Amino acid sequence: MPQITVEYSANLTDTFDRRGFALALHALTARVADAAVENCKTRFRCLDEVCVADGAAGSALVHVQLALLAGRTEAVKAELSEAVLELLRKYTSQGLDASGPVVHASVDVNELGAAYRKHVGA
């Protein structure tokens, strides 16, 4: 915990600093959600094909799904969601020029279910 999945369209592969984003995201999540950085895990999924709105070329998509253990207030989850969205803006605008894609970014912060378990070790 936290379990984080980031889906992004392939046209951001060369400009989205995924490692930098993940490291900044882990520190942000630890601060806002009172979690330990060493417990943060982020997976990235590159999407070969996305369709945004009317399907016109020139769009990109990034969606962050962030799951926390139960107990955070709705206010904390909303604060985290806003902060992650701001961080996404920073890390997806780097390397883009004026002709780059329009990035559609979104974040969903939710709770892990009661059946969530983890193991760390051999």
Side-chain angles (χ1 to χ4, degrees), residues 11-68:
N11 57 345
L12 292 176
T13 299
D14 294 335
T15 57
F16 181 20
D17 177 7
R18 295 175 297 282
R19 180 171 174 76
F21 174 74
L23 294 175
L25 177 60
H26 294 175
L28 172 70
T29 302
R31 181 178 51 79
V32 174
D34 193 27
V37 169
E38 50 274 357
N39 290 330
C40 294
K41 299 158 207 78
T42 299
R43 296 172 298 285
F44 291 92
R45 293 184 185 143
C46 180
L47 306 172
D48 291 331
E49 187 172 347
V50 299
C51 182
V52 178
D54 63 0
S59 293
L61 175 86
V62 181
H63 178 71
V64 177
Q65 184 75 41
L66 203 151
L68 304 166

Side-chain angles (χ1 to χ4, degrees), residues 98-115:
S99 65
V102 174
V103 179
H104 296 257
S106 57
V107 179
D108 183 23
V109 177
N110 55 48
E111 294 182 350
L112 293 164

Side-chain angles (χ1 to χ4, degrees), residues 60-98:
L61 175 86
V62 181
H63 178 71
V64 177
Q65 184 75 41
L66 203 151
L68 304 166
L69 289 174
R72 275 56 175 210
T73 65
E74 290 301 313
V76 166
K77 290 187 271 187
E79 178 185 353
L80 182 57
S81 183
E82 285 294 330
V84 172
L85 194 57
E86 185 60 36
L87 195 64
L88 263 179
R89 285 186 199 111
K90 176 182 175 187
Y91 279 87
T92 57
S93 66
Q94 296 175 353
L96 293 179
D97 59 26

